[in-house]
Amino acid sequence: MTPIIAPDLESVPKIQEIQKEIFYPSEDGEPLAETSVHADAIIATVAVLRNYLAEKFAERSPVVLADQFLYYAQGFPRLRVAPDVMVIFDVPQQPYDNYKIWETGQVPSVIFEMTSASTQAHDQTKKRELYESIGVLEYWLFDPKGEWIPEKLRGYRRQANLPEKEEDSLVYEAIADGLSQVLGLRLEVEGSLINFYRQDNGEKLLIPSELFTALQVQTQRAEIAEQEVQKLRDRLATLGIEP
């Protein structure tokens, strides 16, 4: 019988030395959105929320990410999803190539998906079930083309008081009032975009193009006012009155 020779344990590489670092990709080569309409909705939503949250929370401003991988299971790089827009509270304000829940311990509080007929099934079932299971507080589906949501916008809110056995009841309930309790905003649809209104004063949050228009109007009014003041000065001067 051939004798069994025990291996030299000192020659066995340590686990941490042979274990390869797990790679979590930051992109998959897919476009930002299915159509330019969906892309515009994503870009406008991100811009509005970033401006609003930066003003409201200042240094503690939540992070708003668009079309970036969300990894929810450490050690499993295939378990990922790429929400169109996600808002994450209490995390560092820094660039994120992708977002790994276990690195910060914070789950996105609000997620928006710009949905379409081709993504309907996935958005309604797999993504909803995933977001429910990891604890996303609000999930909004926006159908900018109205392909399968007649009202274009549907929201789901995590129940405040869950039953002892979550399987006995749905974790999400439909949002009937159009309010985002997490963001403190009221959401309405206008054309192919979501309009956001502050709950405290009813003010509409402007998208970049509207901000530019408002700035132009404000500048024009200031110029007109300055011209009127100069006319008054000139008139007083002709009357020998020192302005």
Side-chain angles (χ1 to χ4, degrees):
M1 178 181 293
T2 304
I4 299 176
I5 302 175
D8 180 3
L9 295 181
E10 293 184 358
S11 65
V12 178
K14 296 179 181 180
I15 295 177
Q16 58 265 35
E17 292 178 352
I18 63 174
Q19 186 179 37
K20 294 183 179 179
E21 183 179 354
I22 298 175
F23 176 62
Y24 296 89
S26 296
E27 55 87 23
D28 57 4
E30 295 294 325
L32 170 68
E34 184 174 320
T35 69
S36 61
V37 173
H38 292 80
D40 288 344
I42 294 172
I43 294 169
T45 299
V46 170
V48 166
L49 292 182
R50 281 181 176 169
N51 288 339
Y52 163 70
L53 293 171
E55 177 183 350
K56 182 175 181 179
F57 293 94
E59 295 180 358
R60 292 180 50 253
S61 174
V63 170
V64 183
L65 302 179
D67 192 43
Q68 289 179 273
F69 281 145
L70 167 66
Y71 289 96
Y72 50 90
Q74 186 174 8
F76 298 91
R78 291 182 179 274
L79 297 183
R80 68 195 186 202
V81 65
D84 288 326
V85 181
M86 54 182 169
V87 182
I88 311 159
F89 286 75
D90 300 319
V91 295
Q93 274 286 354
Q94 63 185 35
Y96 289 88
D97 293 333
N98 53 50
Y99 185 77
K100 306 177 187 74
I101 290 176
W102 60 88
E103 288 187 345
T104 65
Q106 297 295 331
V107 173
S109 295
V110 184
I111 285 180
F112 292 86
E113 294 288 359
M114 309 310 173
T115 187
S116 67
S118 64
T119 64
Q120 172 185 354
H122 194 61
D123 294 334
Q124 284 193 102
T125 55
K126 291 184 178 180
K127 284 189 175 180
R128 173 174 166 167
E129 291 169 0
L130 171 63
Y131 298 153
E132 281 183 317
S133 68
I134 65 176
V136 176
L137 299 179
E138 290 181 357
Y139 176 39
W140 293 88
L141 284 165
F142 180 50
D143 180 9
K145 289 188 168 184
E147 294 178 314
W148 68 273
I149 302 179
E151 67 276 25
K152 292 190 176 182
L153 181 67
R154 286 182 185 172
Y156 299 94
R157 181 184 296 135
R158 189 174 176 85
Q159 294 183 42
N161 299 309
L162 295 175
E164 292 184 4
K165 295 182 179 180
E166 291 187 7
E167 63 268 20
D168 293 341
S169 175
L170 293 176
V171 176
Y172 277 158
E173 58 185 0
I175 298 176
D177 53 13
L179 299 180
S180 170
Q181 294 179 349
V182 176
L183 300 174
L185 298 172
R186 176 170 54 86
L187 282 61
E188 290 186 2
V189 175
E190 182 177 342
S192 58
L193 297 177
I194 303 173
N195 280 346
F196 296 87
Y197 297 84
R198 295 176 60 128
Q199 286 184 246
D200 54 0
N201 59 17
E203 178 186 350
K204 178 187 176 183
L205 305 182
L206 302 182
I207 62 175
S209 60
E210 292 172 330
L211 284 170
F212 180 71
T213 300
L215 179 61
Q216 282 187 314
V217 171
Q218 185 177 5
T219 301
Q220 290 173 354
R221 288 176 178 174
E223 290 175 349
I224 293 173
E226 179 61 30
Q227 291 173 2
E228 293 299 322
V229 169
Q230 188 59 47
K231 288 180 181 178
L232 179 58
R233 287 174 177 168
D234 293 342
R235 185 175 181 184
L236 291 173
T238 58
L239 296 175
I241 301 174
E242 183 68 26

